[in-house]
Amino acid sequence: MCYWDSFTLIKQNTTTSTTNVSKATLDVNKSTIIASQNVLSKYKQKIKDSDSPQIKELLKYTTEISSNKLHLNFENSNNPTLIYLENVITSQSGKTMTSDQLTINFKSDHYIASSNVTIQLDSLLWALNPNQTFKNKAPTKNKSKKNR
């Protein structure tokens, strides 16, 4: 086992993502790192042409995640799994989600929040497709009237 104090745990070159922690323990036999105290991650992914308009809008901004603990499993070194634990706050411009746990699977690109999840959004405009038009049919007159 190895122990560290105050360092950058993860830095990805393909994106501008970093995770800083105050303390961490490396268990090589289990392929895990347990980090604690002042866990702060900043994720910025590149937008792909194949991304939906909603995902493109979300990826315009850096996502920040803070928590009390972080469990990193790097058994599959190409696709590690991160689990943020205790007082997890995920935020992005105008959007905040709090939870007890947040799991990030990089292979499937899924962020899964669980236990005591609260979401606060300033707006839902990011979720709309900018090319989508809405058409409402004119109301039709009800032809059958019942006598009273």
Side-chain angles (χ1 to χ4, degrees), residues 19 24 28 36 50 72 86-87 90 94-95 107 118 125 135 138:
T19 297
V28 177
S36 61
S50 60
L72 168 62
E86 299 177 12
N87 299 316
T90 307
K95 300 174 267 316
K107 183 175 183 178
T118 303
L125 292 176
K135 295 180 182 177

Side-chain angles (χ1 to χ4, degrees), residues 40-123:
L40 178 61
S41 298
K42 295 183 180 187
Y43 293 101
K44 180 72 175 163
Q45 288 183 286
K46 292 182 181 178
I47 297 173
K48 298 179 284 211
D49 289 338
S50 60
D51 289 334
S52 70
Q54 294 82 4
I55 297 299
K56 287 178 182 176
E57 186 64 29
L58 285 172
L59 294 180
K60 285 182 182 179
Y61 306 100
T62 299
T63 300
E64 289 190 6
I65 303 169
S66 64
S67 69
N68 293 351
K69 294 181 182 177
L70 172 65
H71 181 264
L72 168 62
N73 182 325
F74 55 92
E75 237 175 333
N76 180 343
S77 61
N78 292 329
N79 296 300
T81 299
L82 294 173
I83 301 173
Y84 293 86
L85 299 162
E86 299 177 12
N87 299 316
V88 182
I89 301 171
T90 307
S91 60
Q92 191 186 63
S93 179
K95 300 174 267 316
T96 302
M97 178 175 65
T98 60
S99 61
D100 292 336
Q101 180 174 320
L102 177 69
T103 303
I104 301 177
N105 182 319
F106 288 103
K107 183 175 183 178
S108 63
D109 203 21
H110 288 146
Y111 289 54
I112 303 165
S114 56
S115 187
N116 296 315
V117 178
T118 303
I119 298 173
Q120 181 178 356
L121 305 168
D122 290 349
S123 166

